[in-house]
Amino acid sequence: MADTFDLIVIGSGPGGYVAAIRASQLGLKVAIVERENLGGICLNWGCIPTKALLKSGEKFESLSHLKEYGLSASGASFDFDAIIQRSRGVAKQLNQGVGFLMKKNKIEVVSGDAKLEKGQGAPKVVVALKDGQSRTLQAKSVMLAVGARARALPQIGLEADGERIWAYREAMAPKSLPKSLIVIGSGAIGIEFGSFYRALGCDVTVVEAVGRIMPVEDEEVSKAAQKSFEKRGMKFKVGAKVTKVSKDSKGVKVAVEVGGKAETLEAEVCISAVGITANTDGIGLEALGVELDRGHIKTDSHCQTNVKGLYAIGDCAGAPWLAHKASHEGIHAAEHIAGFKTPNVHSPIAGCTYAQPQVASVGVTEQQARADKREVKIGRFPFRVNGKAIASGDTDGFVKVIFDAKTGALIGAHMIGHEVTEMIQGYVTAITMEATEEDIHGIVYPHPTMSEAMHEAALDAYGRVIHI
């Protein structure tokens, strides 16, 4: 006989475990199935431990600028193994924290591989347990939060082997620090790993198929980011199609075509950051007739699939592939399952890249607005004339905002600079609350802060900027 619940969540990443907690808060009996580690990729091999690595790199790199602050030190060095172990320790701490939250909220954790089968109402969940046994679970609703994995391109030899070709897991806990590496892909993952390894002195080359790095970002920010990264010694090959990746005991060779010309790049290691593949295979979706869109599960505005009682959230349900988007969807879906009349799930989702400098954005880019033939007003403000940035020595970068000229609504915001990932939420809130230029102009920003640049950029869009 199947064990019965109100909700079964498959996957315990930042979408799954948050959804389980919210459902439990609403009085539902909840089970969560996890085949590996509580917290999923984000807490164990993604968002969090990468930030620990990046902070170590940032701290070490800052030592070379001490003279600018009237300070001096000698003999600066780093212990690479200790850096990796600190990152793994951070992941372990958070993994244990999720375990505590499951117990606190009386959520049953089932360890094993889940597969869906037809059931009465929602699908049944058959779990292959670690001890070789199996367990059948039945619920009124089932939520898929199975995430995604690094995309491989075996046809050109781009497939992680843990030695010469790394995906994110291998890049987070390598056996040793390479002297040189090639990063294929300039999205957030590729840029963050490139930034970390460059901070520790590695020779880093980033290869991007599109004509500019970070192609999802506003073009102005993308160009500024490349200049800043190049100042730190990172190298780039843009508009470069990778045709073959080969390896031997000494390193890797990456064959590329740039402007119709072939060339070969060489390094000790190659990091593959060419996107992700949803974990939708092997879990019984085909037999249930679950509709997919380019490998991702199709859902409606409440995260429901076309199969009764089956929901899907996070990376497996499509872009944007971001932890905070998964958590937001998980809470929304849990409330919908509990009978709440929740508003539409679609909200502005910020994108953040935690390199040096950081990049953050929300809403439309200038290019998207122009392509849609929208009449816009654009404002900019550089950190080089912001008092707090000058005092802190963090003058690299700027804030850019985009308003709809007809309504005054803020429709896009783009930032590059120190800790802008902490600032972007102000604009996310503004867009969510349907703020206009009058609302933002009337806000009193504390002084001195780097956030004052957000105010000045909004003023600049309407010819009212003060400090330039």
Side-chain angles (χ1 to χ4, degrees):
M1 178 177 284
D3 295 328
T4 58
F5 299 86
D6 295 311
L7 171 64
I8 300 166
V9 180
I10 302 175
S12 70
Y17 87 77
V18 167
I21 290 172
R22 183 61 182 136
S24 180
Q25 289 175 342
L26 295 173
L28 302 186
K29 182 182 179 183
V30 183
I32 191 164
V33 183
E34 174 55 57
R35 65 181 179 182
E36 196 171 358
N37 299 310
L38 288 173
I41 293 299
C42 177
L43 267 65
N44 294 281
W45 294 101
C47 317
I48 303 300
T50 54
K51 304 312 165 281
L53 294 178
L54 284 159
K55 178 55 71 172
S56 291
E58 178 188 340
K59 292 286 189 182
F60 180 71
E61 196 168 20
S62 68
L63 296 176
S64 62
H65 300 286
L66 290 179
K67 188 176 180 180
E68 299 171 13
Y69 297 87
L71 306 172
S72 65
S74 60
S77 63
F78 61 84
D79 182 333
F80 186 65
D81 289 339
I83 290 173
I84 298 301
Q85 288 309 310
R86 176 180 180 272
S87 172
R88 301 315 308 148
V90 168
K92 182 179 180 181
Q93 179 181 341
L94 288 167
N95 165 262
Q96 293 172 340
V98 174
F100 166 78
L101 290 171
M102 296 299 98
K103 290 180 181 178
K104 176 186 175 183
N105 289 280
K106 298 179 174 59
I107 297 163
E108 184 170 347
V109 177
V110 182
S111 298
D113 285 287
K115 188 171 184 177
L116 301 176
E117 294 184 359
K118 289 185 178 180
Q120 294 180 346
K124 291 189 298 184
V125 180
V126 179
V127 184
L129 303 174
K130 301 292 185 183
D131 62 3
Q133 302 296 311
S134 67
R135 183 178 172 188
T136 300
L137 312 177
Q138 182 73 57
K140 298 174 184 176
S141 301
V142 175
M143 188 183 302
L144 294 173
V146 293
R149 60 188 181 275
R151 184 184 177 204
L153 299 174
Q155 64 272 26
I156 61 170
L158 189 58
E159 195 167 21
D161 64 1
E163 296 293 334
R164 295 299 173 189
I165 303 175
W166 298 346
Y168 56 82
R169 288 200 182 213
E170 294 82 9
M172 299 220 20
K175 298 174 183 176
S176 61
L177 177 67
K179 292 181 180 178
S180 60
L181 60 87
I182 296 167
V183 180
I184 302 178
S186 73
I189 293 174
I191 289 296
E192 287 182 5
F193 277 124
S195 183
F196 165 66
Y197 281 101
R198 180 57 202 154
L200 299 186
C202 292
D203 183 286
V204 176
T205 300
V206 178
V207 179
E208 172 55 57
V210 179
R212 59 186 177 92
I213 70 167
M214 307 180 78
V216 300
E217 300 293 344
D218 186 88
E219 187 172 344
E220 203 170 340
V221 170
S222 172
K223 290 178 179 178
Q226 181 169 337
K227 288 181 180 178
S228 293
F229 298 147
E230 286 174 340
K231 286 180 183 178
R232 295 179 56 224
M234 292 173 67
K235 292 174 284 188
F236 296 90
K237 287 284 184 181
V238 297
K241 178 184 177 182
V242 177
T243 57
K244 185 177 181 182
V245 179
S246 55
K247 60 190 179 182
D248 57 29
S249 60
K250 296 181 180 179
V252 292
K253 294 182 179 180
V254 178
V256 299
E257 289 183 1
V258 184
K261 296 182 179 179
E263 57 181 291
T264 301
L265 309 175
E266 297 185 34
E268 285 187 24
V269 169
C270 171
I271 295 179
S272 174
V274 293
I276 61 172
T277 299
N279 292 323
T280 53
D281 48 322
I283 58 173
L285 300 186
E286 297 84 357
L288 293 175
V290 176
E291 293 181 2
L292 302 179
D293 180 13
R294 289 171 291 183
H296 293 86
I297 301 168
K298 290 180 67 173
T299 61
D300 65 12
S301 61
H302 296 299
C303 305
Q304 296 177 109
T305 72
N306 65 303
V307 173
K308 181 183 178 182
L310 184 62
Y311 291 71
I313 64 167
D315 288 356
C316 69
W321 300 286
L322 299 167
H324 44 290
K325 172 255 195 183
S327 297
H328 177 72
E329 288 181 338
I331 289 172
H332 177 98
E335 292 178 348
H336 187 262
I337 289 167
F340 279 45
K341 292 184 178 181
T342 50
N344 193 292
V345 72
H346 298 296
S347 298
I349 304 293
C352 298
T353 302
Y354 300 82
Q356 294 183 58
Q358 294 181 0
V359 173
S361 61
V362 65
V364 301
T365 65
E366 180 181 353
Q367 295 71 47
Q368 290 168 340
R370 304 289 188 198
D372 292 339
K373 294 181 170 50
R374 299 183 73 167
E375 187 179 346
V376 295
K377 287 184 178 292
I378 297 175
R380 302 171 182 82
F381 195 81
F383 287 120
R384 60 180 169 78
V385 292
N386 171 272
K388 177 66 179 296
I390 295 170
S392 303
D394 298 312
T395 56
D396 197 9
F398 59 88
V399 176
K400 177 178 180 178
V401 290
I402 303 170
F403 291 91
D404 185 290
K406 294 182 179 179
T407 65
L410 179 68
I411 59 174
H414 310 273
M415 302 173 163
I416 177 170
H418 181 69
E419 294 295 347
V420 295
T421 58
E422 298 291 342
M423 297 162 58
I424 192 64
Q425 189 58 31
Y427 284 141
V428 175
T429 301
I431 294 177
T432 302
M433 302 299 290
E434 300 181 347
T436 66
E437 90 285 358
E438 284 190 9
D439 298 317
I440 298 173
H441 290 173
I443 295 172
V444 179
Y445 286 73
H447 174 78
T449 62
M450 293 185 69
S451 67
E452 288 176 282
M454 299 169 63
H455 190 212
E456 294 269 19
L459 291 172
D460 182 57
Y462 287 82
R464 294 177 53 185
V465 66
I466 301 297
H467 287 99
I468 52 174

